[in-house]
Amino acid sequence: MQTPPPRERRLLLAVDAPSLLHRNHHARAHTDLRDRQGRPAWALHGMLRQILEAIDQFAPDALIFGLDDRSTSVREGLYPAYKAGRAVKDATLVEQLERADALLSALGFRTVTPPGLEADDVNASAATWAGENGWDCVLVTSDRDSFANISAHTKVLRVIDGGISGSPLLDPARLHRLYGVDPHQYLEFAALRGDASDNLPGVAGIGEKTAPILLREMGSMRAVWADIEHCGGENLVATLDSWCAETGARRMGAAMLKRLTAPGARERYDFNLSIMSGRTDLELGLTPDVPGSPGLLPLDPERVARVVDFLGVGATTHLAMRVLTEPAGSGRP
């Protein structure tokens, strides 16, 4: 790998471990890879392999892994139908999800399982921590919820079918090209649109095409609701119809107002926003100025060799030794 140029800011790589495990479980189940005790290991191996490739690509100074609390869920307590449409997890996936923390911790990585919360919350808190401490951050996930954390110093590597090298790295400009909104508007956009994967319907009649227009022309949903409350949406209708006249689009102001003021529309939006918002105040336990802290690179070579070799894939052990145990100053920025 070509050595990256020196950076002015240190880099934190925050990984949504469950999302990588889910993807690799389905993509690699045909291999039936087992560890040296005969336990299913294809999802764990695939996750680790992608982590190593991401480290090789970004050369981070520290890593943190978010895990879901599998025993309880704050969001499910608020909304029992949360994620209800998803298929029941295969037993071999469940087993590997439960072993992920032990594997990552054994390597010397920092893992966080927030009580009642999810890896998305760890990602949101990691982005906030990086901003407050003068670091850059890359969030590694396949979940769109993390798009709300994109900023000048936080990017999202959205892991898709092409693996790490083929996955898009989203910054504010690329997010805007994809969805027509800026990062600070993404949560409002998502709350309007809804999220079928989490079983969260959106505001009826407002989707991926119309929500960006509304947010762009009005600036924010706070401004939208304020206009509806104070003058019955008069400015909203005028602003949207003016945009339609300028662009040659069909007038939409009155129809948009009707959808936003329909019974339950405001409540649906507010509820989605509360469920979708990631926690940004979690204690992550990152102490990067304390040598040997969990998550700091490089890791202990003997430890890495022993843990990765237990998966029984020599090529992955070799890659792990190269990217995890390389001492500072030997190509790492």
Side-chain angles (χ1 to χ4, degrees):
M1 172 185 143
Q2 184 177 359
T3 302
R7 293 189 297 257
E8 294 182 1
R9 298 161 63 98
R10 288 189 283 182
L11 176 65
L12 173 66
L13 202 66
V15 182
D16 178 348
S19 73
L20 297 190
L21 284 163
H22 277 82
R23 294 193 68 83
N24 281 284
H25 170 72
H26 297 295
R28 297 173 181 258
H30 67 281
T31 68
D32 195 35
L33 178 70
R34 305 275 167 158
D35 65 20
R36 296 195 185 278
Q37 286 187 347
R39 298 174 299 180
W42 57 84
L44 289 167
H45 172 258
M47 173 192 69
L48 180 59
R49 185 81 192 191
Q50 289 188 324
I51 290 165
L52 297 175
E53 291 170 0
I55 294 171
D56 204 18
Q57 177 175 334
F58 294 102
D61 299 279
L63 288 91
I64 188 165
F65 292 83
L67 296 160
D68 298 340
D69 184 348
R70 296 182 46 75
S71 62
T72 185
S73 168
V74 170
R75 291 178 176 90
E76 199 170 303
L78 295 170
Y79 179 49
Y82 182 59
K83 298 185 178 181
R86 299 188 181 186
V88 176
K89 293 182 179 66
D90 185 87
T92 57
L93 171 58
V94 172
E95 180 184 339
Q96 292 177 84
L97 285 166
E98 292 175 345
R99 286 160 47 205
D101 191 1
L103 172 67
L104 295 168
S105 297
L107 283 166
F109 289 128
R110 175 66 180 157
T111 68
V112 176
T113 306
L117 299 173
E118 306 170 19
D120 289 336
D121 298 293
V122 179
N123 271 3
S125 291
T128 300
W129 181 93
E132 292 174 347
N133 288 275
W135 285 49
D136 287 333
C137 185
V138 172
L139 308 179
V140 182
T141 181
S142 58
D143 199 321
R144 294 184 297 180
D145 289 344
S146 286
F147 294 174
N149 303 307
I150 293 173
S151 69
H153 295 294
T154 294
K155 299 176 182 179
V156 171
L157 182 72
R158 191 183 184 202
V159 181
I160 54 176
D161 293 340
I164 295 298
S165 62
S167 296
L169 184 63
L170 277 65
D171 58 11
R174 191 162 189 175
L175 179 72
H176 195 278
R177 288 196 298 270
L178 283 174
Y179 294 103
V181 296
D182 294 326
H184 72 274
Q185 298 172 313
Y186 184 80
L187 270 178
E188 296 184 337
F189 163 75
L192 287 167
R193 176 201 61 197
D195 189 339
S197 68
D198 287 343
N199 197 32
L200 290 168
V203 176
I206 303 178
E208 289 205 356
K209 293 183 178 180
T210 51
I213 298 170
L214 175 64
L215 291 169
R216 183 177 63 246
E217 296 306 308
M218 294 297 293
S220 70
M221 286 306 296
R222 180 178 297 179
V224 168
W225 300 126
D227 186 60
I228 291 173
E229 290 171 3
H230 294 298
C231 57
E234 181 179 333
N235 294 323
L236 166 67
V237 173
T239 298
L240 293 181
D241 284 349
S242 175
W243 176 84
C244 290
E246 291 173 3
T247 60
R250 185 177 180 180
R251 294 178 67 174
M252 62 185 296
M256 181 69 77
L257 178 61
K258 183 177 181 180
R259 290 164 184 159
L260 291 167
T261 55
R266 176 70 184 269
E267 291 76 12
R268 167 51 55 187
Y269 169 81
D270 288 340
F271 182 76
N272 283 355
L273 198 66
S274 69
I275 293 291
M276 293 174 172
S277 297
R279 285 279 299 275
T280 60
D281 60 348
L282 298 180
E283 175 54 53
L284 302 179
L286 289 169
T287 53
D289 295 323
V290 179
S293 294
L296 295 185
L297 293 177
L299 301 180
D300 177 65
E302 182 178 343
R303 193 173 183 176
V304 170
R306 182 178 67 254
V307 174
V308 181
D309 183 64
F310 196 72
L311 295 174
V313 182
T316 300
T317 301
H318 178 76
L319 178 61
M321 293 299 292
R322 179 169 67 82
V323 304
L324 296 181
T325 69
E326 182 180 89
S330 61
R332 193 173 296 283

